Amino acid sequence: AQRVTQPEKLLSVFKGAPVELKCNYSYSGSPELFWYVQYSRQRLQLLLRHISRESIKGFTADLNKGETSFHLKKPFAQEEDSAMYYCALEGSQGNLIFGKGTKLSVKP
Amino acid sequence: NAGVTQTPKFRILKIGQSMTLQCTQDMNHNYMYWYRQDPGMGLKLIYYSVGAGITDKGEVPNGYNVSRSTTEDFPLRLELAAPSQTSVYFCASSYLKGVAAYNEQFFGPGTRLTVL
């Protein structure tokens, strides 16, 4: 079964601290993985995708096939990073299979 | 470019009523999707379309219908509203499928539906 698990509902850190949002997936084959973000009062938007190996707003995510993980990391959190973060896996219909999301709260 | 627009933003229905959630995109995307998000849960796929005239069921299609007569529009119809359909509904579109470098899905702002 295709599944995405985000074990943390809420993650609270202080400004300047490192952040790691966890994501594990279940998928047979080569997965295409994404991180989406939803800031307050804004729509859901793409943050990054693993195939691009990009760093967006200081965030990176590495696909670990052995551990079936795609954790999102940032070395120094900023207050503007506070948002809901969703890990997603591309399904066979081109749709996205989402985790339940992690709410990141960065305190001053 | 307005992107993906959805109407209405909010709606309260009584059990048994029907309604149509509207979704329009102006990016000439082939693929369009309807998701629902229940409280504390991830988004789940209701229906999707790969182009005008072509639709197919997703994970949770029961109680819904869709049509795609144009590239731009992808309305979602609830025929007999039930409390279990209380949710936030998101429409999304993308240009390509299966090519992850290009398969960015663009989302609408959502419609919050309550069925009482």
Side-chain angles (χ1 to χ4, degrees):
Chain A
Q2 301 169 355
R3 190 185 307 122
V4 175
T5 303
Q6 293 180 252
E8 303 138 330
K9 262 190 169 179
L10 174 65
L11 186 62
S12 187
V13 301
F14 285 102
K15 177 182 171 182
V19 170
E20 183 179 52
L21 289 83
K22 292 184 167 45
C23 172
N24 289 90
Y25 66 90
S26 173
Y27 187 79
S28 54
S30 288
E32 301 294 354
L33 286 150
F34 307 81
W35 277 98
Y36 276 75
V37 61
Q38 188 170 27
Y39 300 103
S40 180
R41 301 182 192 282
Q42 294 187 27
R43 60 185 69 190
L44 199 60
Q45 58 187 285
L46 178 67
L47 179 62
L48 58 80
R49 61 196 118 199
H50 96 270
I51 198 169
S52 303
R53 296 189 172 275
E54 55 205 343
S55 173
I56 304 294
K57 299 184 179 184
F59 284 98
T60 59
D62 291 319
L63 177 60
N64 185 323
K65 290 186 177 181
E67 296 183 358
T68 59
S69 68
F70 187 57
H71 303 327
L72 184 68
K73 299 178 184 179
K74 185 169 183 177
F76 308 103
Q78 303 300 315
E79 289 180 68
E80 55 265 30
D81 296 328
S82 295
M84 280 295 297
Y85 290 81
Y86 295 94
C87 183
L89 171 69
E90 185 182 77
S92 56
Q93 298 158 325
N95 60 302
L96 293 171
I97 300 164
F98 286 88
K100 293 182 180 182
T102 298
K103 183 175 182 178
L104 175 63
S105 175
V106 182
K107 299 177 181 177
Chain B
N1 258 2
V4 180
T5 57
Q6 291 182 238
T7 57
K9 288 187 178 178
F10 306 94
R11 184 72 186 269
I12 298 175
L13 282 182
K14 293 182 179 178
I15 295 172
Q17 286 185 319
S18 61
M19 76 165 294
T20 299
L21 283 70
Q22 301 292 344
C23 175
T24 300
Q25 54 91 8
D26 62 359
M27 297 173 283
N28 202 31
H29 284 170
N30 293 318
Y31 291 84
M32 295 188 75
Y33 309 87
W34 274 106
Y35 296 90
R36 60 176 285 175
Q37 184 179 29
D38 299 331
M41 304 294 287
L43 284 70
K44 293 188 177 180
L45 183 68
I46 306 171
Y47 270 95
Y48 69 103
S49 169
V50 303
I54 307 170
T55 63
D56 209 344
K57 296 177 181 178
E59 183 184 356
V60 289
N62 291 345
Y64 307 94
N65 277 303
V66 294
S67 59
R68 182 100 180 267
S69 56
T70 66
T71 300
E72 294 79 20
D73 301 306
F74 190 41
L76 178 71
R77 178 99 180 140
L78 283 72
E79 290 294 349
L80 292 169
S84 59
Q85 294 177 305
T86 294
S87 191
V88 181
Y89 291 83
F90 292 98
C91 180
S93 72
S94 66
Y95 181 56
L96 286 176
K97 168 211 162 188
V99 182
Y102 303 100
N103 185 19
E104 175 178 353
Q105 288 192 19
F106 294 84
F107 284 81
T111 294
R112 187 175 295 274
L113 176 67
T114 302
V115 182
L116 300 173

